[in-house]
Amino acid sequence: MHLEKFAWAVSILEGARRLADDKSNRIPLFLLIGFSVENALKAHLEKKGEPPGKWERSHDLADLYDKASATGLAPIEGVETFVRALSPLHKDFVFRYPEKAGIADLFSPASSIHATDELCRAVAQQFDPGEIPGWTAKR
């Protein structure tokens, strides 16, 4: 299951990349990025054999990040800051429901995609590259 979850995270990130240059699509961009981060963190936890629990249905990215870090996830500097900034908005479904939309002070689309890509890159290190459908190391 962890592999499918990671493949889903990567495909969602690719969808977000396609929206990055369109300034009218910020809400769907950050919705996709949030779900990419969530699925990547959950894929890491599953791969590491984390016992099933509340985290499986959680949208709390900061908590998922803490659990993933405790099991060895160590993305580049800056990723944690991004995940923690996105977490309360993702957890409260700000990008999912129009009635919750408002002003969100986030990172730029380019830096958000970069941070998400780096998180996925760190998770990918847990897998044999041949296991990951659609994954390519873009630098």
Side-chain angles (χ1 to χ4, degrees), residues 1-2 11 14 26 57 72 88 92 97 104 107-110 112 120 127 132:
M1 181 66 169
H2 53 273
S11 66
E14 288 307 310
R26 291 298 187 248
R57 294 211 177 276
D92 196 34
Y97 300 114
F107 296 76
S108 72
S112 298
C120 287
F127 296 90
I132 307 169

Side-chain angles (χ1 to χ4, degrees), residues 27 93-95 97-103:
I27 290 174
F93 305 115
V94 168
F95 304 116
Y97 300 114
E99 63 272 14
K100 292 194 175 207
I103 302 292

Side-chain angles (χ1 to χ4, degrees), residues 2 8 17 20 40 43 46 50 54 56 58 89-90 92 131 138:
H2 53 273
W8 184 244
R17 267 188 230 283
E46 287 178 2
E50 187 69 17
K54 290 182 182 178
E56 289 177 300
S58 175
L89 301 167
H90 183 74
D92 196 34
E131 288 183 276
K138 296 179 183 172

Side-chain angles (χ1 to χ4, degrees), residues 19 24-32 94-98 101-102:
L19 296 175
S24 67
N25 283 324
R26 291 298 187 248
I27 290 174
L29 170 75
F30 284 102
L31 175 73
L32 292 174
V94 168
F95 304 116
R96 189 186 288 192
Y97 300 114

Side-chain angles (χ1 to χ4, degrees), residues 8-94:
W8 184 244
V10 170
S11 66
I12 293 170
L13 175 58
E14 288 307 310
R17 267 188 230 283
R18 290 191 292 275
L19 296 175
D21 292 331
D22 184 347
K23 291 182 181 179
S24 67
N25 283 324
R26 291 298 187 248
I27 290 174
L29 170 75
F30 284 102
L31 175 73
L32 292 174
I33 286 173
F35 280 113
S36 179
V37 168
E38 179 182 325
N39 280 279
L41 292 169
K42 288 177 178 179
H44 172 84
L45 292 170
E46 287 178 2
K47 179 71 173 177
K48 289 296 187 173
E50 187 69 17
K54 290 182 182 178
W55 66 266
E56 289 177 300
R57 294 211 177 276
S58 175
H59 300 294
D60 185 342
L61 303 180
D63 183 58
L64 291 168
Y65 187 90
D66 290 343
K67 285 178 176 24
S69 293
T71 61
L73 183 69
I76 66 166
E77 186 176 332
V79 171
E80 180 179 0
T81 301
F82 170 72
V83 170
R84 292 194 185 286
L86 182 60
S87 183
L89 301 167
H90 183 74
K91 182 179 176 183
D92 196 34
F93 305 115
V94 168

